[in-house]
Amino acid sequence: MPRLGMEPIRKAALVEATITEIGRAGSLDVTVAQIARRAGVSSALAHHYFGSKEQMFLAAMRHILGLYGAEVRGALALAEGPRDRLRAVIRASFAASSFRRETIGAWLNFYVLAQTVPDVKRLLRVYQHRICSNLRAPLRVLAPERAEALAEGLAAMIDGVYLREVLGQRPPDGAQAAAMVLDYLDVQLAARPNSGGAA
Amino acid sequence: MPRLGMEPIRKAALVEATITEIGRAGSLDVTVAQIARRAGVSSALAHHYFGSKEQMFLAAMRHILGLYGAEVRGALALAEGPRDRLRAVIRASFAASSFRRETIGAWLNFYVLAQTVPDVKRLLRVYQHRICSNLRAPLRVLAPERAEALAEGLAAMIDGVYLREVLGQRPPDGAQAAAMVLDYLDVQLAARPNSGGAA
DNA sequence: CGGTTTATTGATTGACTAGTCAATAAACCA
DNA sequence: TGGTTTATTGACTAGTCAATCAATAAACCG
């Protein structure tokens, strides 16, 4: 009994299911049948809407990055002044919507996928570029000379914290993770407040 | 024409080939046949010596971590004083023997594998614990109150730099990577030289 | 009401691959 | 010398899975 206008609903369900399955399995070795089952449809339908497994992965990744981007934009909208903006970006990176076991697991696997699938690589580069930009802009105000280096350091640290979360036995603690990066930021800014000349 | 005593030679070749193939493919989706071919033997022989693909992966990982451990030990042996020891550990993390495209690619994939294979997870935990210890010990001398937090921050940053290297278009530059982490360290230590109380 | 589009699936196919096995042969041993 | 161990492989098996297809059926359209 097919109702019309199912496409967006099914696609959304399949994207969610893809992330969940990858996160649970901790691997890209999930079958289309598994994903489809979780989404409550047949594997044939999944192929019908996405064309291939790779396209499903890509859509899932776009979804994750989209959520993250929304989180950042939302936080930035409320922030005033460069320091606040930096904090906003960092906190958004560990907000509950992104910093969950399944999402982290999926995210790590997309890094792996980027080595094989050019489209995924491009997508991930866009994300990296955007986060660096978001950090660099306020840093240019606070520490112009070191803005570039600090932005890269912060970005690396955020990625590193994510990565280490994958192995953690404890469930991820976004607040604590954010605190570590925020502390790094504070100390760096306190060090050479408004000028630079890093090695 | 089989000569005796081939086992260690074949095993070493297969381990090398495993790392190379995973690094090149950027994925764990490499066939035993591929690995064996690169090692110059049949896939049957690979199974003969390792029993299963999983054991090959595990051996490859032990090899990578072993190389890294040796690098750290070597650097530590030459270091004098806590500050020097810290620098040694960080530099060793980006030494040429470990910081190569293929090794980095393989290393990332082992993080993924850890989510599935308990033995790999255990191995990776041992590595993380060891690097944290190596950092903590000298930090306890230089900044006792913050030693724990700083060690975790440094470790996260090291992992993060590795991770970002995976996507990089340029070939990995260990010196520059090390410089970034060393700078982080210097600033943190300069900030509150011999006491603490981080938020 | 027919005809078209949309939704949906069971069944099938075609390709791939981990792991097994029996066979071959050189080297060592008693 | 003849038996055992070690090295090595080609061929095979059994299982998996992405992708396709033909078929069913509801909804919409003129």
Side-chain angles (χ1 to χ4, degrees):
Chain A
M1 37 330 255
R3 246 147 291 178
L4 294 200
M6 282 284 105
E7 178 157 351
I9 296 168
R10 295 306 192 199
K11 277 192 164 182
L14 282 163
V15 162
E16 262 304 320
T18 303
I19 294 168
T20 304
E21 284 298 311
I22 292 177
R24 289 209 173 182
S27 152
L28 295 170
D29 279 332
V30 291
T31 68
V32 173
Q34 263 171 52
I35 295 170
R37 195 177 326 124
R38 179 166 299 272
V41 298
S42 72
S43 67
L45 194 67
H47 276 103
H48 174 65
Y49 281 130
F50 283 98
S52 76
K53 190 174 166 176
E54 192 174 299
Q55 287 301 314
M56 281 190 245
F57 284 169
L58 215 57
M61 174 149 188
R62 269 193 274 265
H63 187 244
I64 285 181
L65 294 186
L67 280 184
Y68 173 68
E71 195 81 50
V72 170
R73 278 191 303 279
L76 278 178
L78 301 176
E80 299 210 352
R83 200 142 191 149
D84 220 31
R85 293 176 80 78
L86 280 170
R87 289 185 209 279
V89 173
I90 293 169
R91 285 221 189 80
S93 297
F94 300 106
S97 72
S98 301
F99 204 60
R100 288 175 315 154
R101 266 248 178 283
E102 282 158 15
T103 308
I104 296 171
W107 166 90
L108 172 60
N109 277 282
F110 288 136
Y111 257 93
V112 168
L113 197 59
Q115 296 196 280
T116 312
V117 183
D119 281 342
V120 174
K121 186 167 221 162
R122 214 167 25 79
L123 221 51
L124 225 42
R125 285 236 182 92
V126 169
Y127 143 79
Q128 282 194 345
H129 184 265
R130 206 182 304 165
I131 191 176
C132 264
S133 290
N134 284 332
L135 294 168
R136 213 167 4 205
L139 281 170
R140 274 208 243 273
V141 180
L142 295 170
E145 313 284 335
R146 297 183 297 143
E148 183 68 38
L150 281 183
E152 281 195 32
L154 281 170
M157 196 167 201
I158 290 171
D159 276 2
V161 170
Y162 262 80
L163 187 55
R164 303 190 126 248
E165 211 56 55
V166 168
L167 282 197
Q169 44 271 325
R170 285 179 291 272
D173 180 346
Q176 193 187 310
M180 171 185 283
V181 181
L182 287 170
D183 180 64
Y184 165 52
L185 174 67
D186 285 343
V187 172
Q188 287 279 350
L189 289 180
R192 286 169 270 182
N194 212 338
S195 71
Chain B
M1 38 328 250
R3 249 148 287 177
L4 293 199
M6 282 285 104
E7 178 158 351
I9 296 167
R10 295 307 192 199
K11 276 192 164 183
L14 283 163
V15 161
E16 261 306 320
T18 302
I19 294 168
T20 304
E21 284 299 311
I22 292 177
R24 289 210 174 184
S27 151
L28 295 170
D29 280 330
V30 291
T31 69
V32 174
Q34 263 172 52
I35 296 170
R37 195 178 324 124
R38 180 166 300 271
V41 299
S42 72
S43 67
L45 194 67
H47 277 104
H48 174 65
Y49 281 130
F50 283 98
S52 75
K53 191 174 165 177
E54 192 175 298
Q55 288 301 313
M56 280 189 246
F57 284 169
L58 215 56
M61 176 149 185
R62 268 193 274 267
H63 188 246
I64 286 181
L65 294 187
L67 280 184
Y68 172 67
E71 196 80 50
V72 171
R73 278 191 303 280
L76 279 178
L78 302 176
E80 298 209 354
R83 202 145 189 143
D84 221 30
R85 294 176 78 80
L86 281 170
R87 288 185 209 281
V89 173
I90 293 169
R91 285 222 191 78
S93 297
F94 301 105
S97 72
S98 301
F99 205 61
R100 288 174 315 153
R101 265 248 179 283
E102 282 160 16
T103 308
I104 295 172
W107 165 90
L108 174 60
N109 277 282
F110 288 135
Y111 257 92
V112 168
L113 197 59
Q115 296 197 279
T116 312
V117 183
D119 281 343
V120 174
K121 186 167 222 161
R122 215 166 24 79
L123 220 54
L124 224 43
R125 284 237 182 91
V126 168
Y127 143 81
Q128 282 195 345
H129 185 265
R130 205 183 303 166
I131 192 178
C132 263
S133 290
N134 283 333
L135 294 168
R136 214 167 3 203
L139 281 171
R140 275 208 241 273
V141 180
L142 295 170
E145 313 283 335
R146 295 184 300 143
E148 183 67 37
L150 282 183
E152 282 195 32
L154 281 170
M157 197 167 198
I158 292 171
D159 277 1
V161 170
Y162 261 80
L163 188 54
R164 305 190 123 243
E165 212 55 56
V166 167
L167 284 198
Q169 44 270 326
R170 285 178 291 273
D173 180 345
Q176 193 187 311
M180 171 185 285
V181 181
L182 287 169
D183 179 63
Y184 165 52
L185 175 67
D186 285 344
V187 173
Q188 287 279 351
L189 288 179
R192 285 169 270 182
N194 211 339
S195 70

